[in-house]
Amino acid sequence: MTLFLTDPNDYDGGELCFESGSGDFRFKLKPRSIIAYPSTTLHRVMPVTRGERIVVVGWIHSLVRDAGVREMLYDLSQVRNGIFKRNGKCREFDLSSKTYTNLLRQYAEP
């Protein structure tokens, strides 16, 4: 992930560029904006031609390796949150919470 710290008007160039089959995608975001992307994504930073570009680069490691399982866990957490928002703590919320936790426990790696 990249966290942008410098105002984009304070420097020229320096775009975060992602390569894809349909062309390049370039990002130059406002301060305190973050962009997260898989580490397997081919990317580069364009040269800075004026000013200074300051960012924080970090890596996020998921405890759940399989992207499909992560997506299902995310969807289930969205359903669980929706149930809680509409009905508060109820049997359906408890069951969805139990299922989410058990699936996370099953697929999470130490």
Side-chain angles (χ1 to χ4, degrees):
M1 64 101 202
T2 300
L3 167 63
F4 292 79
L5 299 176
T6 308
D7 188 300
N9 296 317
D10 292 345
Y11 64 98
D12 293 332
E15 295 89 353
L16 177 60
C17 183
F18 296 97
E19 296 181 20
S20 78
S22 57
D24 289 353
F25 296 94
R26 296 181 180 203
F27 296 89
K28 189 173 177 180
L29 303 179
K30 297 177 185 177
R32 297 181 305 279
S33 298
I34 246 180
I35 186 165
Y37 45 92
S39 60
T40 55
T41 303
L42 189 57
H43 62 284
R44 66 184 182 280
V45 175
M46 303 306 292
V48 175
T49 58
R50 178 191 64 86
E52 185 177 33
R53 174 188 186 264
I54 301 173
V55 300
V56 174
V57 177
W59 291 262
I60 302 166
H61 175 75
S62 175
L63 295 176
V64 178
R65 183 179 297 264
D66 185 285
V69 173
R70 279 196 312 270
E71 183 176 358
M72 287 187 287
L73 285 166
Y74 174 78
D75 291 347
L76 183 55
S77 73
Q78 294 296 101
V79 169
R80 182 181 66 154
N81 293 341
I83 292 169
F84 187 79
K85 188 174 183 179
R86 282 189 303 281
N87 304 324
K89 187 170 173 10
C90 62
R91 176 134 176 85
E92 290 82 8
F93 173 78
D94 288 345
L95 286 172
S96 61
S97 294
K98 180 181 90 169
T99 302
Y100 173 85
T101 303
N102 286 335
L103 287 170
L104 184 60
R105 191 178 301 117
Q106 179 178 356
Y107 288 101
E109 298 179 2

